Amino acid sequence: MSDDFTAHLKNTLEEIEEAGLYKRERLIAGPQGGRIDIASDGGKREVINLCANNYLGLANHPEIVAAAKQALDEFGFGMASVRFICGTQTLHRQLEERIARYLGKEDAILFAACFDANGGVFEPLLTDADAIVSDSLNHASIIDGVRLSKAKRYRFANGDMDALEDQLKAADADGARFKLIATDGVFSMDGAVANLPAICDLAERYGALVLVDDCHATGHLGEKGRGTPALTGAGDKVDIVTGTFGKTLGGAMGGFVAASKPVIDLLRQRARPYLFSNSLAPAVTAGSLKAIDIAEAADDRRATLARHTKRFRAGLTEAGFDLLPGETPIIPVMLGDAALSQKMAAALDERGIYVTGFFYPVVPKGKARIRTQMSAALSDADIDTALEAFIAVGTDLGIL
Ligand SMILES: *Cc1c(COP(=O)(O)O)cnc(C)c1O
C-alpha cells in the first residue's frame, strides 16, 4: 500500500478521534441477555444491558438454542451455495412460509440480513419510469437500496404528512408510472411509530404502494407481535414489509421481504443480494422458525416489555431528563453534544449500566443521545437500578 494512502487513512482516523467520535467496541464474554458479562482485565464483570434489540429476551432462549442445535445435527453447518444453485433446504421454505403467514402476506423471501433485503427490494420492482417517496429518517439500508434503484427519488421530512402529499404530487407532475412510499415502521433512533394509517390513506388517494421496514417492531409490537401494521390498524393496506430475524425474532441474523406472490416471485428472479449471496445457515433458519412460534404466543413477554417501558420512561421524565416522546421500548435520552453522550455512557458503564451514546452520522448533528432499549429479559429491580444510576450520573454531569 502506498505511504500516501496509509498516511491519509491515519489522518482520517485521527480526525475521528479528535472530534470525540471514535467508536470502540466493548467485548462481551457470554450470551446476549438482560444482564451480560463484559470482558474486563482478563476477567469479566456483569452489567445491566439497556442497548440490545433483544426486545422479548429471545436471543438466548433455551428452546431456540435447542432448535438450532437440532438443525446442526440434521441439516449440517453451512450451505456453501446461493439459494438457486443448491442452497435451498426445506427449512428455508418453511421459514419463508412461516414469516409470511405470521405477517398476513402471501409469501416471503429470505436475505442474509434486512440490510440486504432493503438493498435488494427496490431495484427489481421499479424502473426509471417510477418514483420512490422516502421518509427522511429512514434506515441507512433503505437509503442505499433506493440509491441502487433507477427510480426517481423524493424525500419528505420525517412523519410530515403534508410534505409526503407534496412529494406524491411532485412525482405525479413528473409523470411517474408507479409510486412507492417507503418508511420505517419504528424509527430506530427516535422510537417513534410511523403514521401508517395516514400514509396508507395518502397512498390510496394517489395510487401509491406502501413499503414498511418493520425491523424494530416485528415480534413485539401490535397484536401477537405482528408489527406496526397491526399496531396502527393499517393492516394489509401495507403492501410490502421488510424485516429482520436479527432483533426480536431470536436476534441471530437474516432478513426478509413479505408481500404478494408476484412481488416475491420477481425478487427471487432479480434481487441481487438474494441471487449473489450465500443461503442462511440451517441453525439460524431453524432457530428463527422457533423464535416466530415463541414470539407469536408471548403475550406475557410483551406485557413485561410494556411495563418496563412505562416504568423507565416515567422515572426518567420525573427526574428531569429530556426524552423524545413515544410508546415503543426505544427511549432516547437527548443530550445534544456528542462528547457528552460518550462521557455519560462511560459514567453509566462504571455504575454497571451498559448503554451506547449515539451521535452523528448515526443521528443528526447536535442531536446526540443515549438510546436506551427495554427488554423483557430485564427485571423490575434492573429497571430501578438503572434509573438510580441515570439520576446519579445526570446529577454528576450537570444534566439534571
Ligand atoms: C436493524 C435494522 C435494519 C438492518 O437489519 P439487519 O438484519 O441487522 O441487517 C434495517 N432496517 C432497520 C429499520 C433496522 O432497524
PDB file of all heavy atoms in Angstrom, residues 49-82:
ATOM      1  N   ASN A  49     -28.030  -4.546  30.803  1.00  0.00           N
ATOM      2  CA  ASN A  49     -27.908  -4.226  29.382  1.00  0.00           C
ATOM      3  C   ASN A  49     -29.125  -3.453  28.869  1.00  0.00           C
ATOM      4  O   ASN A  49     -30.215  -4.007  28.779  1.00  0.00           O
ATOM      5  CB  ASN A  49     -27.753  -5.551  28.619  1.00  0.00           C
ATOM      6  CG  ASN A  49     -27.582  -5.351  27.137  1.00  0.00           C
ATOM      7  OD1 ASN A  49     -27.397  -4.230  26.679  1.00  0.00           O
ATOM      8  ND2 ASN A  49     -27.627  -6.442  26.406  1.00  0.00           N
ATOM      9  N   LEU A  50     -28.906  -2.180  28.521  1.00  0.00           N
ATOM     10  CA  LEU A  50     -30.016  -1.355  28.020  1.00  0.00           C
ATOM     11  C   LEU A  50     -29.819  -0.974  26.561  1.00  0.00           C
ATOM     12  O   LEU A  50     -30.350   0.040  26.104  1.00  0.00           O
ATOM     13  CB  LEU A  50     -30.135  -0.070  28.852  1.00  0.00           C
ATOM     14  CG  LEU A  50     -30.433  -0.201  30.338  1.00  0.00           C
ATOM     15  CD1 LEU A  50     -30.692   1.179  30.944  1.00  0.00           C
ATOM     16  CD2 LEU A  50     -31.625  -1.105  30.609  1.00  0.00           C
ATOM     17  N   CYS A  51     -29.066  -1.746  25.809  1.00  0.00           N
ATOM     18  CA  CYS A  51     -28.861  -1.317  24.418  1.00  0.00           C
ATOM     19  C   CYS A  51     -28.905  -2.445  23.396  1.00  0.00           C
ATOM     20  O   CYS A  51     -28.404  -2.279  22.288  1.00  0.00           O
ATOM     21  CB  CYS A  51     -27.594  -0.488  24.272  1.00  0.00           C
ATOM     22  SG  CYS A  51     -26.120  -1.243  24.916  1.00  0.00           S
ATOM     23  N   ALA A  52     -29.526  -3.566  23.726  1.00  0.00           N
ATOM     24  CA  ALA A  52     -29.694  -4.600  22.697  1.00  0.00           C
ATOM     25  C   ALA A  52     -31.082  -4.483  22.078  1.00  0.00           C
ATOM     26  O   ALA A  52     -31.997  -3.913  22.671  1.00  0.00           O
ATOM     27  CB  ALA A  52     -29.517  -5.978  23.313  1.00  0.00           C
ATOM     28  N   ASN A  53     -31.213  -5.043  20.883  1.00  0.00           N
ATOM     29  CA  ASN A  53     -32.524  -5.118  20.210  1.00  0.00           C
ATOM     30  C   ASN A  53     -33.237  -6.414  20.589  1.00  0.00           C
ATOM     31  O   ASN A  53     -33.978  -6.984  19.809  1.00  0.00           O
ATOM     32  CB  ASN A  53     -32.338  -5.082  18.688  1.00  0.00           C
ATOM     33  CG  ASN A  53     -31.579  -3.861  18.225  1.00  0.00           C
ATOM     34  OD1 ASN A  53     -31.902  -2.747  18.626  1.00  0.00           O
ATOM     35  ND2 ASN A  53     -30.561  -4.064  17.401  1.00  0.00           N
ATOM     36  N   ASN A  54     -32.972  -6.849  21.819  1.00  0.00           N
ATOM     37  CA  ASN A  54     -33.438  -8.147  22.307  1.00  0.00           C
ATOM     38  C   ASN A  54     -34.767  -7.952  23.044  1.00  0.00           C
ATOM     39  O   ASN A  54     -34.898  -8.304  24.214  1.00  0.00           O
ATOM     40  CB  ASN A  54     -32.338  -8.683  23.244  1.00  0.00           C
ATOM     41  CG  ASN A  54     -32.562 -10.094  23.715  1.00  0.00           C
ATOM     42  OD1 ASN A  54     -33.281 -10.865  23.085  1.00  0.00           O
ATOM     43  ND2 ASN A  54     -31.940 -10.431  24.833  1.00  0.00           N
ATOM     44  N   TYR A  55     -35.740  -7.361  22.331  1.00  0.00           N
ATOM     45  CA  TYR A  55     -36.938  -6.830  22.999  1.00  0.00           C
ATOM     46  C   TYR A  55     -37.693  -7.862  23.833  1.00  0.00           C
ATOM     47  O   TYR A  55     -38.125  -7.583  24.933  1.00  0.00           O
ATOM     48  CB  TYR A  55     -37.868  -6.197  21.968  1.00  0.00           C
ATOM     49  CG  TYR A  55     -37.273  -4.974  21.306  1.00  0.00           C
ATOM     50  CD1 TYR A  55     -36.907  -4.992  19.965  1.00  0.00           C
ATOM     51  CD2 TYR A  55     -37.059  -3.805  22.028  1.00  0.00           C
ATOM     52  CE1 TYR A  55     -36.352  -3.865  19.354  1.00  0.00           C
ATOM     53  CE2 TYR A  55     -36.500  -2.682  21.432  1.00  0.00           C
ATOM     54  CZ  TYR A  55     -36.156  -2.729  20.091  1.00  0.00           C
ATOM     55  OH  TYR A  55     -35.600  -1.625  19.507  1.00  0.00           O
ATOM     56  N   LEU A  56     -37.859  -9.065  23.288  1.00  0.00           N
ATOM     57  CA  LEU A  56     -38.602 -10.084  24.050  1.00  0.00           C
ATOM     58  C   LEU A  56     -37.655 -10.996  24.845  1.00  0.00           C
ATOM     59  O   LEU A  56     -38.111 -11.945  25.491  1.00  0.00           O
ATOM     60  CB  LEU A  56     -39.476 -10.929  23.116  1.00  0.00           C
ATOM     61  CG  LEU A  56     -40.670 -10.230  22.454  1.00  0.00           C
ATOM     62  CD1 LEU A  56     -41.506 -11.229  21.671  1.00  0.00           C
ATOM     63  CD2 LEU A  56     -41.544  -9.485  23.469  1.00  0.00           C
ATOM     64  N   GLY A  57     -36.362 -10.731  24.763  1.00  0.00           N
ATOM     65  CA  GLY A  57     -35.414 -11.560  25.511  1.00  0.00           C
ATOM     66  C   GLY A  57     -35.260 -12.955  24.919  1.00  0.00           C
ATOM     67  O   GLY A  57     -35.002 -13.917  25.654  1.00  0.00           O
ATOM     68  N   LEU A  58     -35.387 -13.088  23.600  1.00  0.00           N
ATOM     69  CA  LEU A  58     -35.317 -14.424  22.977  1.00  0.00           C
ATOM     70  C   LEU A  58     -33.917 -14.784  22.474  1.00  0.00           C
ATOM     71  O   LEU A  58     -33.714 -15.911  22.004  1.00  0.00           O
ATOM     72  CB  LEU A  58     -36.312 -14.513  21.802  1.00  0.00           C
ATOM     73  CG  LEU A  58     -37.787 -14.264  22.122  1.00  0.00           C
ATOM     74  CD1 LEU A  58     -38.645 -14.516  20.880  1.00  0.00           C
ATOM     75  CD2 LEU A  58     -38.256 -15.132  23.283  1.00  0.00           C
ATOM     76  N   ALA A  59     -32.966 -13.852  22.576  1.00  0.00           N
ATOM     77  CA  ALA A  59     -31.661 -14.078  21.931  1.00  0.00           C
ATOM     78  C   ALA A  59     -30.941 -15.315  22.458  1.00  0.00           C
ATOM     79  O   ALA A  59     -30.113 -15.892  21.753  1.00  0.00           O
ATOM     80  CB  ALA A  59     -30.783 -12.835  22.085  1.00  0.00           C
ATOM     81  N   ASN A  60     -31.240 -15.689  23.691  1.00  0.00           N
ATOM     82  CA  ASN A  60     -30.603 -16.897  24.237  1.00  0.00           C
ATOM     83  C   ASN A  60     -31.669 -17.816  24.851  1.00  0.00           C
ATOM     84  O   ASN A  60     -31.445 -18.468  25.871  1.00  0.00           O
ATOM     85  CB  ASN A  60     -29.546 -16.505  25.278  1.00  0.00           C
ATOM     86  CG  ASN A  60     -28.682 -17.671  25.695  1.00  0.00           C
ATOM     87  OD1 ASN A  60     -28.410 -18.565  24.890  1.00  0.00           O
ATOM     88  ND2 ASN A  60     -28.257 -17.686  26.948  1.00  0.00           N
ATOM     89  N   HIS A  61     -32.832 -17.868  24.199  1.00  0.00           N
ATOM     90  CA  HIS A  61     -33.935 -18.689  24.712  1.00  0.00           C
ATOM     91  C   HIS A  61     -33.598 -20.176  24.544  1.00  0.00           C
ATOM     92  O   HIS A  61     -33.195 -20.601  23.452  1.00  0.00           O
ATOM     93  CB  HIS A  61     -35.212 -18.343  23.949  1.00  0.00           C
ATOM     94  CG  HIS A  61     -36.453 -18.926  24.551  1.00  0.00           C
ATOM     95  ND1 HIS A  61     -36.721 -20.276  24.518  1.00  0.00           N
ATOM     96  CD2 HIS A  61     -37.484 -18.348  25.202  1.00  0.00           C
ATOM     97  CE1 HIS A  61     -37.881 -20.498  25.133  1.00  0.00           C
ATOM     98  NE2 HIS A  61     -38.352 -19.344  25.555  1.00  0.00           N
ATOM     99  N   PRO A  62     -33.745 -20.988  25.605  1.00  0.00           N
ATOM    100  CA  PRO A  62     -33.303 -22.391  25.517  1.00  0.00           C
ATOM    101  C   PRO A  62     -33.975 -23.185  24.389  1.00  0.00           C
ATOM    102  O   PRO A  62     -33.329 -24.032  23.773  1.00  0.00           O
ATOM    103  CB  PRO A  62     -33.676 -22.976  26.889  1.00  0.00           C
ATOM    104  CG  PRO A  62     -34.476 -21.941  27.595  1.00  0.00           C
ATOM    105  CD  PRO A  62     -34.221 -20.625  26.937  1.00  0.00           C
ATOM    106  N   GLU A  63     -35.250 -22.913  24.102  1.00  0.00           N
ATOM    107  CA  GLU A  63     -35.915 -23.676  23.030  1.00  0.00           C
ATOM    108  C   GLU A  63     -35.375 -23.294  21.652  1.00  0.00           C
ATOM    109  O   GLU A  63     -35.345 -24.127  20.740  1.00  0.00           O
ATOM    110  CB  GLU A  63     -37.432 -23.431  23.061  1.00  0.00           C
ATOM    111  CG  GLU A  63     -38.141 -24.142  24.195  1.00  0.00           C
ATOM    112  CD  GLU A  63     -39.633 -23.829  24.191  1.00  0.00           C
ATOM    113  OE1 GLU A  63     -40.235 -23.810  23.107  1.00  0.00           O
ATOM    114  OE2 GLU A  63     -40.164 -23.566  25.280  1.00  0.00           O
ATOM    115  N   ILE A  64     -34.976 -22.039  21.522  1.00  0.00           N
ATOM    116  CA  ILE A  64     -34.406 -21.601  20.236  1.00  0.00           C
ATOM    117  C   ILE A  64     -33.011 -22.195  20.071  1.00  0.00           C
ATOM    118  O   ILE A  64     -32.653 -22.698  18.998  1.00  0.00           O
ATOM    119  CB  ILE A  64     -34.382 -20.052  20.157  1.00  0.00           C
ATOM    120  CG1 ILE A  64     -35.825 -19.519  20.173  1.00  0.00           C
ATOM    121  CG2 ILE A  64     -33.640 -19.585  18.915  1.00  0.00           C
ATOM    122  CD1 ILE A  64     -35.944 -18.013  20.252  1.00  0.00           C
ATOM    123  N   VAL A  65     -32.235 -22.178  21.155  1.00  0.00           N
ATOM    124  CA  VAL A  65     -30.903 -22.787  21.119  1.00  0.00           C
ATOM    125  C   VAL A  65     -31.027 -24.278  20.772  1.00  0.00           C
ATOM    126  O   VAL A  65     -30.279 -24.805  19.936  1.00  0.00           O
ATOM    127  CB  VAL A  65     -30.177 -22.591  22.468  1.00  0.00           C
ATOM    128  CG1 VAL A  65     -28.868 -23.368  22.507  1.00  0.00           C
ATOM    129  CG2 VAL A  65     -29.925 -21.105  22.730  1.00  0.00           C
ATOM    130  N   ALA A  66     -32.021 -24.939  21.377  1.00  0.00           N
ATOM    131  CA  ALA A  66     -32.209 -26.375  21.127  1.00  0.00           C
ATOM    132  C   ALA A  66     -32.599 -26.632  19.669  1.00  0.00           C
ATOM    133  O   ALA A  66     -32.105 -27.576  19.032  1.00  0.00           O
ATOM    134  CB  ALA A  66     -33.276 -26.940  22.068  1.00  0.00           C
ATOM    135  N   ALA A  67     -33.481 -25.776  19.120  1.00  0.00           N
ATOM    136  CA  ALA A  67     -33.893 -25.942  17.711  1.00  0.00           C
ATOM    137  C   ALA A  67     -32.696 -25.749  16.785  1.00  0.00           C
ATOM    138  O   ALA A  67     -32.543 -26.478  15.791  1.00  0.00           O
ATOM    139  CB  ALA A  67     -35.002 -24.940  17.372  1.00  0.00           C
ATOM    140  N   ALA A  68     -31.840 -24.790  17.117  1.00  0.00           N
ATOM    141  CA  ALA A  68     -30.654 -24.545  16.290  1.00  0.00           C
ATOM    142  C   ALA A  68     -29.698 -25.734  16.371  1.00  0.00           C
ATOM    143  O   ALA A  68     -29.136 -26.163  15.355  1.00  0.00           O
ATOM    144  CB  ALA A  68     -29.962 -23.258  16.744  1.00  0.00           C
ATOM    145  N   LYS A  69     -29.524 -26.288  17.571  1.00  0.00           N
ATOM    146  CA  LYS A  69     -28.623 -27.451  17.736  1.00  0.00           C
ATOM    147  C   LYS A  69     -29.148 -28.639  16.944  1.00  0.00           C
ATOM    148  O   LYS A  69     -28.382 -29.367  16.297  1.00  0.00           O
ATOM    149  CB  LYS A  69     -28.517 -27.839  19.215  1.00  0.00           C
ATOM    150  CG  LYS A  69     -27.553 -26.973  19.995  1.00  0.00           C
ATOM    151  CD  LYS A  69     -27.451 -27.477  21.428  1.00  0.00           C
ATOM    152  CE  LYS A  69     -26.478 -26.621  22.221  1.00  0.00           C
ATOM    153  NZ  LYS A  69     -26.657 -26.782  23.671  1.00  0.00           N
ATOM    154  N   GLN A  70     -30.453 -28.843  17.001  1.00  0.00           N
ATOM    155  CA  GLN A  70     -31.039 -29.973  16.274  1.00  0.00           C
ATOM    156  C   GLN A  70     -30.829 -29.804  14.767  1.00  0.00           C
ATOM    157  O   GLN A  70     -30.533 -30.760  14.057  1.00  0.00           O
ATOM    158  CB  GLN A  70     -32.532 -30.067  16.602  1.00  0.00           C
ATOM    159  CG  GLN A  70     -33.140 -31.389  16.174  1.00  0.00           C
ATOM    160  CD  GLN A  70     -34.656 -31.401  16.350  1.00  0.00           C
ATOM    161  OE1 GLN A  70     -35.197 -30.672  17.192  1.00  0.00           O
ATOM    162  NE2 GLN A  70     -35.330 -32.205  15.560  1.00  0.00           N
ATOM    163  N   ALA A  71     -30.961 -28.560  14.282  1.00  0.00           N
ATOM    164  CA  ALA A  71     -30.751 -28.311  12.852  1.00  0.00           C
ATOM    165  C   ALA A  71     -29.292 -28.542  12.462  1.00  0.00           C
ATOM    166  O   ALA A  71     -29.017 -29.034  11.360  1.00  0.00           O
ATOM    167  CB  ALA A  71     -31.186 -26.891  12.498  1.00  0.00           C
ATOM    168  N   LEU A  72     -28.371 -28.228  13.364  1.00  0.00           N
ATOM    169  CA  LEU A  72     -26.945 -28.512  13.094  1.00  0.00           C
ATOM    170  C   LEU A  72     -26.765 -30.000  12.844  1.00  0.00           C
ATOM    171  O   LEU A  72     -26.062 -30.407  11.913  1.00  0.00           O
ATOM    172  CB  LEU A  72     -26.091 -28.100  14.301  1.00  0.00           C
ATOM    173  CG  LEU A  72     -25.543 -26.682  14.351  1.00  0.00           C
ATOM    174  CD1 LEU A  72     -24.825 -26.459  15.668  1.00  0.00           C
ATOM    175  CD2 LEU A  72     -24.609 -26.404  13.188  1.00  0.00           C
ATOM    176  N   ASP A  73     -27.409 -30.834  13.677  1.00  0.00           N
ATOM    177  CA  ASP A  73     -27.287 -32.283  13.530  1.00  0.00           C
ATOM    178  C   ASP A  73     -27.982 -32.796  12.268  1.00  0.00           C
ATOM    179  O   ASP A  73     -27.474 -33.662  11.583  1.00  0.00           O
ATOM    180  CB  ASP A  73     -27.872 -32.998  14.764  1.00  0.00           C
ATOM    181  CG  ASP A  73     -27.005 -32.773  15.998  1.00  0.00           C
ATOM    182  OD1 ASP A  73     -25.810 -32.432  15.822  1.00  0.00           O
ATOM    183  OD2 ASP A  73     -27.523 -32.909  17.121  1.00  0.00           O
ATOM    184  N   GLU A  74     -29.167 -32.252  11.978  1.00  0.00           N
ATOM    185  CA  GLU A  74     -29.963 -32.780  10.860  1.00  0.00           C
ATOM    186  C   GLU A  74     -29.593 -32.184   9.516  1.00  0.00           C
ATOM    187  O   GLU A  74     -29.687 -32.850   8.482  1.00  0.00           O
ATOM    188  CB  GLU A  74     -31.454 -32.490  11.100  1.00  0.00           C
ATOM    189  CG  GLU A  74     -32.138 -33.497  11.980  1.00  0.00           C
ATOM    190  CD  GLU A  74     -33.621 -33.157  12.153  1.00  0.00           C
ATOM    191  OE1 GLU A  74     -34.251 -32.691  11.176  1.00  0.00           O
ATOM    192  OE2 GLU A  74     -34.113 -33.341  13.271  1.00  0.00           O
ATOM    193  N   PHE A  75     -29.226 -30.887   9.521  1.00  0.00           N
ATOM    194  CA  PHE A  75     -29.029 -30.184   8.245  1.00  0.00           C
ATOM    195  C   PHE A  75     -27.607 -29.678   8.047  1.00  0.00           C
ATOM    196  O   PHE A  75     -27.302 -29.084   7.027  1.00  0.00           O
ATOM    197  CB  PHE A  75     -30.007 -29.005   8.148  1.00  0.00           C
ATOM    198  CG  PHE A  75     -31.447 -29.413   7.979  1.00  0.00           C
ATOM    199  CD1 PHE A  75     -32.266 -29.624   9.076  1.00  0.00           C
ATOM    200  CD2 PHE A  75     -31.981 -29.598   6.701  1.00  0.00           C
ATOM    201  CE1 PHE A  75     -33.594 -29.996   8.920  1.00  0.00           C
ATOM    202  CE2 PHE A  75     -33.303 -29.974   6.534  1.00  0.00           C
ATOM    203  CZ  PHE A  75     -34.117 -30.182   7.642  1.00  0.00           C
ATOM    204  N   GLY A  76     -26.749 -29.897   9.045  1.00  0.00           N
ATOM    205  CA  GLY A  76     -25.352 -29.512   8.888  1.00  0.00           C
ATOM    206  C   GLY A  76     -25.084 -28.064   9.242  1.00  0.00           C
ATOM    207  O   GLY A  76     -25.962 -27.320   9.678  1.00  0.00           O
ATOM    208  N   PHE A  77     -23.841 -27.650   9.026  1.00  0.00           N
ATOM    209  CA  PHE A  77     -23.392 -26.327   9.475  1.00  0.00           C
ATOM    210  C   PHE A  77     -23.673 -25.237   8.442  1.00  0.00           C
ATOM    211  O   PHE A  77     -24.206 -24.190   8.767  1.00  0.00           O
ATOM    212  CB  PHE A  77     -21.894 -26.391   9.778  1.00  0.00           C
ATOM    213  CG  PHE A  77     -21.298 -25.065  10.126  1.00  0.00           C
ATOM    214  CD1 PHE A  77     -21.664 -24.412  11.290  1.00  0.00           C
ATOM    215  CD2 PHE A  77     -20.363 -24.460   9.284  1.00  0.00           C
ATOM    216  CE1 PHE A  77     -21.123 -23.175  11.611  1.00  0.00           C
ATOM    217  CE2 PHE A  77     -19.823 -23.224   9.595  1.00  0.00           C
ATOM    218  CZ  PHE A  77     -20.199 -22.592  10.761  1.00  0.00           C
ATOM    219  N   GLY A  78     -23.282 -25.485   7.188  1.00  0.00           N
ATOM    220  CA  GLY A  78     -23.396 -24.414   6.194  1.00  0.00           C
ATOM    221  C   GLY A  78     -23.959 -24.897   4.891  1.00  0.00           C
ATOM    222  O   GLY A  78     -24.121 -26.100   4.663  1.00  0.00           O
ATOM    223  N   MET A  79     -24.298 -23.968   4.017  1.00  0.00           N
ATOM    224  CA  MET A  79     -24.902 -24.324   2.730  1.00  0.00           C
ATOM    225  C   MET A  79     -23.922 -24.214   1.575  1.00  0.00           C
ATOM    226  O   MET A  79     -24.092 -24.861   0.551  1.00  0.00           O
ATOM    227  CB  MET A  79     -26.115 -23.437   2.455  1.00  0.00           C
ATOM    228  CG  MET A  79     -27.315 -23.766   3.325  1.00  0.00           C
ATOM    229  SD  MET A  79     -27.662 -25.534   3.371  1.00  0.00           S
ATOM    230  CE  MET A  79     -27.977 -25.852   1.649  1.00  0.00           C
ATOM    231  N   ALA A  80     -22.920 -23.347   1.682  1.00  0.00           N
ATOM    232  CA  ALA A  80     -21.919 -23.219   0.617  1.00  0.00           C
ATOM    233  C   ALA A  80     -22.566 -23.068  -0.758  1.00  0.00           C
ATOM    234  O   ALA A  80     -22.078 -23.599  -1.745  1.00  0.00           O
ATOM    235  CB  ALA A  80     -20.956 -24.407   0.637  1.00  0.00           C
ATOM    236  N   SER A  81     -23.672 -22.354  -0.795  1.00  0.00           N
ATOM    237  CA  SER A  81     -24.342 -22.124  -2.081  1.00  0.00           C
ATOM    238  C   SER A  81     -25.355 -21.002  -1.938  1.00  0.00           C
ATOM    239  O   SER A  81     -25.937 -20.811  -0.870  1.00  0.00           O
ATOM    240  CB  SER A  81     -25.081 -23.385  -2.532  1.00  0.00           C
ATOM    241  OG  SER A  81     -25.909 -23.094  -3.659  1.00  0.00           O
ATOM    242  N   VAL A  82     -25.589 -20.312  -3.033  1.00  0.00           N
ATOM    243  CA  VAL A  82     -26.733 -19.406  -3.061  1.00  0.00           C
ATOM    244  C   VAL A  82     -27.997 -20.257  -3.207  1.00  0.00           C
ATOM    245  O   VAL A  82     -27.935 -21.439  -3.533  1.00  0.00           O
ATOM    246  CB  VAL A  82     -26.631 -18.377  -4.211  1.00  0.00           C
ATOM    247  CG1 VAL A  82     -25.403 -17.514  -4.030  1.00  0.00           C
ATOM    248  CG2 VAL A  82     -26.616 -19.068  -5.565  1.00  0.00           C
TER     249      VAL A  82
END
